[in-house]
Amino acid sequence: MPELLKNRYNRESVHELALRIRAVYHSFQVNDFVNGIMDKNWAGLELKARMRQITLNLGRYLPADYERALGVIDRVAAGYPEGFNDFALMYFPDFVEVYGRDERHWELSMSALERYTPLSSSEFAVRPFIIEHEERMMAQMALWTAHENEHVRRLASEGCRPQLPWGQALTSFKEDPTPVLCILERLKADPSPYVRKSVANNLNDISKTHPALVAKTAREWYGKDGRTDWIVKHGCRTLLKKGDRDLLALFGFADGGSVDIDGFALDAASVPIGDKVTFSFVVETKKAARVRLEYGVDYVKANGGRSRKIFQISELSLKDNTRRPYTKTHSFADTSTKKHYPGTHSLTLIVNGAERGTLDFELSAK
């Protein structure tokens, strides 16, 4: 299992930061700074709480004047090699979020967020600015869409995602995402895959609260540019998993009648938690067709109810009179984000958005 990101905020990394600061700001109190961060509560803090604890101690030991403090951070940031980007350095934009939201600091803070985002994304730091000054901040985001640096252009999209993971929710954009779509319109054919992925994720966020609006946007954007087509397809992934017929047709998955499923079977009627289940089936086509294959698992929840999660198998184009076998394995091992509970589970095969068979099995305790 990969190391938790929060664990990269540790005594060694904090001490390294302190030494970098002292190299450009000689009166910086290295030991007091490190000890102020690594207090008795540190072990129990999660990622963003650790980041904020570092930020607050930067505020305590850097110059009290905001402009002078940014000057120190700028010199520290300049010490990293060109192209360096590390999520763990987000305390730099977080410093701007905490100490730079006063009206008199607006231009200074906007410039700082722009400078720091190539080093470590400012996607969380911009959100309080949006909440407090939506129109002004979105005008700034619009300017960033034309920036020469892909990290800054990505910030224009990522920073205004209505439901950014780990980020403060942008309630007004969940209610009316029109200002966000204006930003995405400017980036829908961006040359950078890094930016396009953010645009797609933003579009997917919007689809969760405004599915009809995203479907309309998809129809308007699709078929004009290959880069935009990828964004539309990836941005509609939640709607496709829900079997939206219009979008399935838009991407060529309308014809399910010429596709047959044969031999759908599980390898076991009972599976212990921590093990895997294997299922198999055969796809048969009467005539040429685009085929989207998915399966849904109905999990037992802690309260005894059930909830479904959809998994994609593949998308492919098959010629007429084709017969293709599939074997797929699904794990029921517990992870940090998923706990399994014993009981009757179901596995459903889905072809072009339509259910084509369901098999039950027991998930048993270890």
Side-chain angles (χ1 to χ4, degrees):
M1 182 180 295
E3 180 189 18
L4 293 175
L5 184 56
K6 73 172 186 177
N7 291 334
R8 294 179 61 188
Y9 292 138
N10 53 44
R11 180 171 289 275
E12 290 74 20
S13 65
V14 168
H15 188 256
E16 179 190 347
L17 170 64
L19 293 179
R20 285 178 177 270
I21 295 173
R22 189 173 63 182
V24 299
Y25 178 50
H26 303 306
S27 61
F28 190 69
Q29 301 172 53
V30 170
N31 291 334
D32 289 346
F33 174 74
V34 173
N35 292 332
I37 293 170
M38 309 301 299
D39 62 14
K40 62 181 181 179
N41 299 315
W42 178 260
L45 298 181
E46 295 301 324
L47 173 66
K48 292 196 71 177
R50 290 188 177 193
M51 178 178 71
R52 181 55 56 86
Q53 183 137 315
I54 294 171
T55 297
L56 293 176
N57 278 273
L58 285 171
R60 192 168 293 130
Y61 293 101
L62 287 178
D65 177 76
Y66 177 63
E67 185 171 358
R68 285 189 61 212
L70 283 187
V72 173
I73 294 175
D74 283 344
R75 293 195 294 276
V76 173
Y80 291 93
E82 184 176 354
F84 185 90
N85 184 275
D86 192 336
F87 190 91
L89 299 183
M90 291 185 77
Y91 37 69
F92 290 156
D94 194 56
F95 185 89
V96 178
E97 174 187 338
V98 173
Y99 296 104
R101 302 214 310 269
D102 191 286
E103 169 64 26
R104 62 196 171 97
H105 296 319
W106 180 272
E107 296 299 334
L108 196 63
S109 292
M110 292 302 104
S111 296
L113 291 173
E114 182 179 312
R115 288 194 302 276
Y116 299 155
T117 204
L119 184 67
S120 190
S121 179
S122 300
E123 64 200 60
F124 299 133
V126 298
R127 298 173 83 79
F129 289 94
I130 294 174
I131 291 169
E132 295 168 8
H133 306 281
E134 180 180 311
E135 187 173 343
R136 188 179 187 184
M137 191 63 220
M138 292 304 282
Q140 177 64 61
M141 305 283 261
L143 292 176
W144 282 337
T145 64
H147 201 280
E148 63 181 3
N149 188 291
E150 66 175 353
H151 293 278
V152 180
R153 298 198 307 277
R154 176 187 177 271
L155 174 61
S157 168
E158 198 72 6
C160 64
R161 283 180 59 181
Q163 301 183 59
L164 178 68
W166 299 343
Q168 191 173 1
L170 299 178
T171 305
S172 67
F173 292 160
K174 292 172 72 174
E175 295 172 355
D176 177 14
T178 303
V180 181
L181 286 174
C182 291
I183 297 295
L184 303 190
E185 177 74 34
R186 295 167 177 259
L187 296 169
K188 68 181 182 183
D190 195 274
S192 166
Y194 185 50
V195 176
R196 294 199 299 272
K197 183 176 181 181
S198 174
V199 175
N201 288 337
N202 200 327
L203 201 62
N204 188 57
D205 277 4
I206 297 171
S207 77
K208 296 171 183 177
T209 51
H210 294 76
L213 179 59
V214 169
K216 177 177 179 292
T217 301
R219 290 191 293 270
E220 292 172 352
W221 287 6
Y222 194 71
K224 300 179 178 66
D225 185 292
R227 293 170 296 189
T228 308
D229 289 352
W230 183 90
I231 288 173
V232 172
K233 180 74 179 303
H234 196 58
C236 290
R237 60 190 183 272
T238 295
L239 297 181
L240 288 172
K241 286 183 177 182
K242 291 182 176 180
D244 186 293
R245 304 309 302 174
D246 290 339
L247 286 177
L248 285 164
L250 179 66
F251 300 123
F253 302 111
D255 183 11
S258 62
V259 182
D260 290 329
I261 298 297
D262 186 35
F264 180 35
L266 298 174
D267 71 337
S270 180
V271 181
I273 293 174
D275 210 338
K276 302 174 182 178
V277 66
T278 298
F279 62 97
S280 56
F281 59 96
V282 177
V283 177
E284 297 180 331
T285 56
K286 303 170 186 174
K287 61 179 182 179
R290 285 271 292 153
V291 181
R292 177 182 170 92
L293 297 174
E294 300 168 294
Y295 68 97
V297 176
D298 291 304
Y299 291 97
V300 172
K301 299 191 294 184
N303 64 5
R306 300 212 302 179
S307 64
R308 173 173 290 190
K309 184 172 176 58
I310 304 294
F311 302 89
Q312 186 173 329
I313 300 173
S314 67
E315 292 180 350
L316 65 161
S317 297
L318 295 177
K319 298 179 180 179
D320 56 345
N321 298 317
T322 297
R323 182 178 171 87
R324 179 168 297 189
Y326 280 87
T327 299
K328 181 75 178 177
T329 298
H330 185 88
S331 173
F332 289 94
D334 287 343
T335 66
S336 60
T337 58
K338 177 65 178 176
K339 180 173 175 59
H340 297 87
Y341 300 94
T344 302
H345 289 55
S346 298
L347 194 149
T348 300
L349 193 60
I350 303 169
V351 179
N352 288 5
E355 296 185 8
R356 301 296 289 271
T358 298
L359 300 172
D360 292 339
F361 59 97
E362 293 297 315
L363 190 64
S364 59
K366 293 181 181 179

